[in-house]
Amino acid sequence: MCGIAGYVGQGNEDTLRKMSGVLSYRGPDDQGFFINRHVGLAHNRLSIIDLSPLGHQPMANEDNSIQIIFNGEIYNYQDLKKDLLATGRHQFKSQTDTEVILHLYEDLGTDCFAKLNGMFALAIWDETKQALILARDRLGKKPLYWTISQNTIIFASEPKAILSHPLVRPELDLSALNKYLLYEYIPTPHSIFKNLHKLEPGHYLVFQNNTLVKKEKFWDISFNCSANESPITLAQAQTKLDDILTKAVNSRLVSDVPLGIFLSGGLDSSTVAYYATRGGQKIKTFSIGFQEPSFDESRYAREVAAYLGTEHHEKFFRVTEVLDLVPHVFSLLDEPLADASILPTFLLAKFTREKVTVALGGDGGDELFCGYDTFIAHRLAKYYDYLPSWLKHSLIEKIIPLLPVSHHNLSLDFKAKKFISGYYGPLNYRNQRWLGSFDRLEREQLFKPEIWQELQSQNEFIDLDQLLLPLCTQPYFNRLIYTYLRTYLMDDILVKVDRASMYNSLEVRAPFLDYRLVDFVNSLPLKFKFKGLTTKYILRKLMADKLPASIINRKKKGFGLPLSGWLSGALKPLLLDIFSESAIKRAGLFNYSYLQKLLTDHFAKRRDNRKLLWTLTVFELWRSHWLDKK
């Protein structure tokens, strides 16, 4: 895993070194530069495959006409290398996957990206064509940002490197802020900074002759079975899933440095751990726990580790140690991300890095196999549709607002009130209404009138509209799975894991996001994945004789943080500081009186405003770091 940065147009060595320097934690093992009259490429290397100096980047082909910088891992590179060697046209000087991409591009041009199975963000400078090519992997595992200013394209793994270029200044994009307050993250292709973009997953772009000449998709998520295939049975699907999972995990165990598994004790990470141990090798597993019993679930990871016979490592933290991370972690983020689980994820990555350089995780399982509680909520909503109006409006929806407010994590009143508040409105937006933070009315009250005047005509759901337009004939749950993969997974979960791990110079691999597995699972009938109210149905069936029953039947938990109590307790002084009248008026974005009401209602337990207040807290920590100091 690495960090990349560069430009084509205006720039110099000093600029390039500054861009590379701020990404040093992404690749502490080596640093390399390519500079000519108007091109600069920089690479920070975290050595994983071929630890020798021959893996140094930027890497050139035989005649130096092509240069590449690459962040990621290609899991089928050995097979691709054999094919390239068979042509007799190429000589390899290293054992890296980087060199395979380089020669594959020589043969196939931009068609090469569809051949790669892995996670990647890369830049290729083609001297002959005087063209820069940027490409990002199919599921958006690896980040890649870009902008164009004064006929110069500037790109990097993270915005902070782009902002180190003198042509770029940090300027808040109000439209992106409006989306953040709804989504709790910035949806691709937007970023929180004006005119700075994320490259979409499964896309490449070409910059040539001082302009963006092409941006094309080379892969997309599909739900269609082959017309020539007979309907698959559940038993056949389990057999094939077993085979694909075996290959996906085994290919991600290839490493020239120590490797381990993130093990939470949930079904997804336990499945990855099982397949990792099936080859007979001793596998290291890692989990963290908390000294407060109500907050600790490390026993499940310990149970799985004992069952599989892994070399298990665990570390216990106090909740106060998580709280102490709040100002630190959120000042590191280049964009606001209101997923509080980045805090324990950061601690887990830091602890894991003490023993290994690569870790496998279970990300993607919930999205592919309908594992979230919201899938159940969508099915229950269908039944709710059929209830008589008088029962819904005159009884249920009168009682739910009267439920006493609890500060417990995902309490009954929180879930019931969220269900009703998100139930009404366009169906394609329902999931986001349930997952998100500020609805439209709340944002109207939050923003100062002159700012809302600028934003109110915008459709904050336009990104969902554009994503779902090609899927308009697909069943609803397929659209829901697609939305999860292309929004919440990519712009929240994968960003969280990438930043938390890379700040600790740790590479994390996700076997569930092998595109062959994604294609297969998405081709299966919904009832194989979500049967009745049972989520992950086929995965549970597959693992029934491979893991303890307590793990197979365990309800999804994740890192359950007591945010509501924190905000009215340990974090209250921080909130009172960042939401002080002087601070809010100085920033000039929000209505102070509305913010005060959010705070006082939450502190008095009149309303559970945890999502609203946390989303704003993260933004204010980000804003004070990036905008107040500019």
Side-chain angles (χ1 to χ4, degrees), residues 65-67 105 124-133:
S65 63
I66 299 171
Q67 300 278 344
Y105 172 78
I124 294 173
W125 171 248
D126 190 324
E127 181 72 23
T128 303
K129 296 179 180 178
Q130 289 289 290
L132 175 78
I133 298 96

Side-chain angles (χ1 to χ4, degrees), residues 140-160:
K141 271 283 292 170
K142 292 293 94 189
L144 188 54
Y145 293 79
W146 63 278
T147 189
I148 295 177
S149 178
Q150 298 183 30
N151 298 322
T152 298
I153 187 168
I154 308 159
F155 65 90
S157 298
E158 297 178 26
K160 60 169 61 72

Side-chain angles (χ1 to χ4, degrees), residues 59 100 124 172:
M59 186 178 288
V100 170
I124 294 173
L172 177 66

Side-chain angles (χ1 to χ4, degrees), residues 10-201:
Q10 299 180 47
N12 54 40
E13 182 176 348
D14 182 58
T15 292
L16 194 60
R17 288 188 177 275
K18 287 179 181 177
M19 294 175 69
S20 177
V22 298
L23 297 177
S24 59
Y25 51 82
R26 293 189 73 95
D29 297 328
D30 190 21
Q31 188 178 46
F33 302 93
F34 168 79
I35 302 171
N36 72 8
R37 59 193 181 282
H38 64 286
V39 178
L41 305 177
H43 185 263
N44 296 88
R45 186 185 184 199
L46 179 62
S47 301
I48 304 294
I49 301 293
D50 189 349
L51 308 185
S52 75
L54 296 176
H56 179 80
Q57 297 184 44
M59 186 178 288
N61 63 341
E62 293 92 338
D63 64 3
N64 293 317
S65 63
I66 299 171
Q67 300 278 344
I68 185 172
I69 49 176
F70 163 59
N71 170 28
E73 298 289 344
I74 306 302
Y75 304 115
N76 63 334
Y77 81 100
Q78 293 284 20
D79 292 334
L80 293 171
K81 184 176 181 177
K82 289 177 184 177
D83 294 339
L84 288 166
L85 285 171
T87 68
R89 293 192 295 267
H90 303 287
Q91 295 179 346
F92 285 81
K93 62 183 180 182
S94 75
Q95 300 300 317
T96 65
D97 46 2
T98 307
E99 193 171 9
V100 170
I101 304 172
L102 188 63
H103 293 313
L104 200 64
Y105 172 78
E106 286 186 279
D107 285 2
L108 301 177
T110 52
D111 289 341
C112 73
F113 305 128
K115 300 285 187 181
L116 305 178
N117 181 7
M119 52 182 178
F120 58 88
L122 59 85
I124 294 173
W125 171 248
D126 190 324
E127 181 72 23
T128 303
K129 296 179 180 178
Q130 289 289 290
L132 175 78
I133 298 96
L134 303 180
R136 190 178 183 198
D137 65 69
R138 292 171 175 82
L139 277 303
K141 271 283 292 170
K142 292 293 94 189
L144 188 54
Y145 293 79
W146 63 278
T147 189
I148 295 177
S149 178
Q150 298 183 30
N151 298 322
T152 298
I153 187 168
I154 308 159
F155 65 90
S157 298
E158 297 178 26
K160 60 169 61 72
I162 295 176
L163 295 169
S164 298
H165 195 289
L167 291 182
V168 186
R169 293 288 181 269
E171 184 177 355
L172 177 66
D173 187 323
L174 287 175
S175 176
L177 172 58
N178 191 32
K179 295 174 191 289
Y180 164 75
L181 293 170
L182 168 66
Y183 288 83
E184 301 182 348
Y185 52 81
I186 314 296
T188 298
H190 314 286
S191 86
I192 195 66
F193 298 105
K194 189 172 289 187
N195 300 321
L196 200 158
H197 320 282
K198 303 181 185 88
L199 183 61
E200 296 89 337

Side-chain angles (χ1 to χ4, degrees), residues 260-278 281-288 297-315 351 546-552 554:
I261 311 285
F262 283 165
L263 183 59
S264 68
L267 179 58
D268 298 338
S269 67
S270 300
T271 296
V272 172
Y274 166 80
Y275 281 96
T277 59
R278 199 158 76 166
Q281 63 194 87
K282 193 71 171 180
I283 294 294
K284 295 180 175 68
T285 52
F286 297 86
S287 67
I288 59 172
E297 296 205 319
S298 60
R299 65 186 184 276
Y300 297 108
R302 206 174 305 125
E303 179 183 0
V304 174
Y307 187 87
L308 297 177
T310 69
E311 180 187 317
H312 191 55
H313 302 266
E314 63 181 13
K315 186 172 182 177
F351 167 56
K546 301 175 177 65
L547 292 171
S550 58
I551 301 302
I552 299 297
R554 183 188 170 200

Side-chain angles (χ1 to χ4, degrees), residues 507-524:
E507 174 178 305
V508 177
R509 301 172 177 176
F512 281 111
L513 296 183
D514 188 303
Y515 81 92
R516 298 167 302 179
L517 192 150
V518 172
D519 282 342
F520 172 68
V521 175
N522 283 338
S523 74
L524 296 175

